[in-house]
Amino acid sequence: MSDTPFGFGLPPEEPENGDEGKQKDPQGGAGQGPFGFGLPGFGGPGGDNPFAAMFGSMNPNDLGAAFQQLGQMLSYEGGPVNWDMAKQIARQTVSQGTSDGVKDSSIGPAERTAVEEAVRLADLWLDDATSLPSGAGSAVAWSRAEWVEATLPAWKELVDPVAERVGAAMGDVLPEEMQAMAGPLIGMMRSMGGAMFGTQIGQAVGVLAGEVVGSTDIGLPLGPTGRAALLPANIEAFGKDLGVPQEEVRLYLALREAAHQRLFAHVPWLRSHLFGAVDGYARGIKVDTAKLEDVVGQFDPQNPEQLQDALQQGMFQPEDTPEQKVALARLETALALVEGWVDAVVHAAAKPRLTSADALRETLRRRRASGGPAEQTFATLIGLELRPRRLRDASRLWASLTDARGVDGRDGLWAHPDMLPTASDLDDPDGFVHREQLDFSELDKMLGEAAGGSTEKPNLKKDDDSE
């Protein structure tokens, strides 16, 4: 889990004036407050607070626009996150370019054609590696700004449960009799909270847009259904120092994107299963309101750093209960199974055809194991870090299933969530592979024959190797 509350820490910013610029401390430092946000007046100006993120260097000529934005922020009456602000901040972050100085740019015809051809060829290769048919009705090449626009609805669905839980807990800090008297103040606090969440999420998504290569980098369907998407600029940066032809890099990443699309298109319960697991995890989050009340009661206006330090001491933490642990394990296992299946299927499709298949596979695994951008942002937004060990275990299990049961037998497990391996199965893949499996295909036959009085039970199907 992240050391900061819910993992809400601002991503580092690059100075605008070279060595003379001020480098922000991503782990905290002057001016950083709850959720990783700077508190106005706590440490002076800088990019660590929502005001600096919106107003930049506060040029006097821009004060009119700045106060207009401030008014919009305080008048916000929507949900727990100001998503208009999140979108604005994400677009501003993208426009600044990545740390290596690469700016976003519009997609040209050549890049669009290259992506379409790569996805088309990837789908053709995947036909031999999986029984699931193509799930990509179209293939698109996105700029970073287009990725932000297309994925914000999914981020909203992921983040709102966490933000709502935090906002409700913050409102509970005041005694009930005071809440009735302080209605306008509470409303302003909620507006500020929505702005803070919006700023944090906008910056995180904007930074991530500079590094992702498609719409499924975190194992979740962030983009529109049935649309395989790749980001040419980020693919070029990803393959820059690998010593692999750019065409092979693009094709390998297209295989991963197309494999994800097949899975989410033809396993109708999977998306709601994953997003439901995120929501279930968020419901277990609690705020230590007693600690917050104590901090507020002892606040010394002459020592604002006291409040700042207290708010950084883990006041917002997941509840350590059996239910929360189950929710966390459910989510981690589901994501590991998705990514493990994609890894196994893509490797089977690419290994006979791409000389660089092994190298690209290992590069992506190391990227994830070292805390790649997608995993870091996922941890930032919902407080969850994926365990790379689980991903490797899942990949080995799917590969073993392919050897033992064939492609159809392996992919048939996606027919129902109860048929999928569990976390304990990832620890003992051989035991799962050779275990007797309930044949759900017989269940439909039973139901159809029920009117005729059939009492036949579903078969238990064994693998040939286990007989």
Side-chain angles (χ1 to χ4, degrees):
M1 300 299 298
S2 177
D3 294 333
T4 55
F6 290 126
F8 284 105
L10 286 175
E13 297 181 24
E14 292 295 326
E16 295 183 2
N17 301 320
D19 295 336
E20 296 181 2
K22 181 181 178 182
Q23 179 71 36
K24 276 68 179 181
D25 181 2
Q27 301 300 325
Q32 189 165 358
F35 311 126
F37 295 103
L39 301 178
F42 290 12
D48 293 341
N49 61 68
F51 300 102
M54 287 188 298
F55 306 151
S57 60
M58 289 298 291
N59 188 314
N61 295 329
D62 297 332
L63 281 179
F67 281 112
Q68 182 180 5
Q69 290 188 353
L70 177 60
Q72 293 173 351
M73 179 178 68
L74 294 177
S75 63
Y76 174 73
E77 297 180 351
V81 177
N82 188 330
W83 287 101
D84 291 337
M85 180 171 293
K87 178 179 176 180
Q88 177 186 351
I89 298 299
R91 293 293 298 264
Q92 289 177 357
T93 303
V94 165
S95 68
Q96 294 170 2
T98 52
S99 58
D100 58 2
V102 178
K103 299 286 186 179
D104 193 22
S105 59
S106 300
I107 301 299
E111 292 174 317
R112 186 170 291 107
T113 299
V115 166
E116 291 172 352
E117 291 179 350
V119 172
R120 187 181 302 113
L121 182 56
D123 254 338
L124 183 63
W125 289 2
L126 287 172
D127 285 340
D128 296 332
T130 174
S131 62
L132 299 180
S134 174
S138 62
V140 294
W142 281 343
S143 66
R144 294 163 180 168
E146 289 172 327
W147 183 89
V148 168
E149 294 278 354
T151 62
L152 272 180
W155 288 119
K156 184 178 188 298
E157 191 172 350
L158 284 168
V159 175
D160 269 352
V162 178
E164 185 175 358
R165 182 70 187 90
V166 175
M170 292 290 286
D172 292 341
V173 171
L174 291 177
E176 186 175 351
E177 60 274 10
M178 290 186 62
Q179 291 185 25
M181 300 172 58
L185 177 60
I186 293 177
M188 185 178 72
M189 290 175 61
R190 288 175 177 169
S191 297
M192 290 294 295
M196 287 182 174
F197 274 106
T199 300
Q200 171 64 19
I201 293 163
Q203 290 205 6
V205 171
V207 170
L208 183 57
E211 298 172 331
V212 294
V213 296
S215 70
T216 55
D217 281 36
I218 65 171
L220 291 172
L222 296 180
T225 303
R227 185 176 300 175
L230 296 175
L231 283 71
N234 294 352
I235 290 176
E236 182 177 357
F238 172 82
K240 184 177 180 181
D241 299 320
L242 297 181
V244 177
Q246 190 70 20
E247 293 76 12
E248 290 196 19
V249 174
R250 184 191 304 113
L251 184 51
Y252 191 87
L253 296 176
L255 281 165
R256 289 184 53 82
E257 177 75 9
H260 277 103
Q261 294 295 335
R262 288 185 180 225
L263 193 59
F264 287 111
H266 300 290
V267 182
W269 54 265
L270 182 57
R271 187 184 191 280
S272 60
H273 179 76
L274 289 169
F275 280 69
V278 174
D279 183 71
Y281 175 77
R283 292 182 187 278
I285 291 173
K286 67 176 181 178
V287 177
D288 190 345
T289 54
K291 183 175 181 180
L292 183 58
E293 290 173 353
D294 183 63
V295 170
V296 173
Q298 299 180 16
F299 173 58
D300 180 5
Q302 301 300 319
N303 184 20
E305 291 80 7
Q306 175 187 3
L307 176 62
Q308 180 182 352
D309 293 341
L311 290 173
Q312 291 178 339
Q313 300 304 312
M315 187 175 301
F316 308 94
Q317 296 293 343
E319 190 172 2
D320 189 16
T321 64
E323 294 79 11
Q324 180 71 349
K325 291 178 179 178
V326 168
L328 178 61
R330 177 190 175 205
L331 180 56
E332 287 181 331
T333 300
L335 289 168
L337 289 175
V338 169
E339 284 297 279
W341 183 87
V342 168
D343 179 77
V345 168
V346 167
H347 185 69
K351 176 70 173 176
R353 300 176 174 95
L354 294 179
T355 57
S356 58
D358 289 332
L360 289 170
R361 184 190 202 188
E362 190 57 33
T363 297
L364 286 165
R365 283 181 166 182
R366 287 200 307 267
R367 187 189 193 203
R368 184 176 293 111
S370 62
E375 286 72 28
Q376 290 173 355
T377 297
F378 200 44
T380 297
L381 295 184
I382 69 168
L384 171 71
E385 292 180 358
L386 302 180
R387 292 179 293 175
R389 181 178 65 85
R390 298 283 82 183
L391 298 175
R392 288 182 180 267
D393 291 344
S395 180
R396 284 194 292 267
L397 186 147
W398 289 118
S400 297
L401 282 167
T402 307
D403 294 338
R405 304 184 185 179
V407 169
D408 291 342
R410 177 201 66 197
D411 294 347
L413 294 178
W414 291 105
H416 192 277
D418 291 343
M419 298 177 66
L420 288 178
T422 63
S424 60
D425 292 326
L426 296 181
D427 296 325
D428 181 22
D430 289 338
F432 179 83
V433 168
H434 299 296
R435 187 181 308 156
E436 293 180 341
Q437 296 291 312
L438 189 64
D439 186 0
F440 276 71
S441 65
E442 292 292 320
L443 186 58
D444 291 336
K445 180 180 179 181
M446 284 178 55
L447 294 175
E449 296 176 349
S454 173
T455 59
E456 184 180 356
K457 294 182 180 180
N459 291 335
L460 288 177
K461 184 169 59 177
K462 292 184 178 181
D463 298 305
D464 294 338
D465 294 344
S466 62
E467 291 181 351

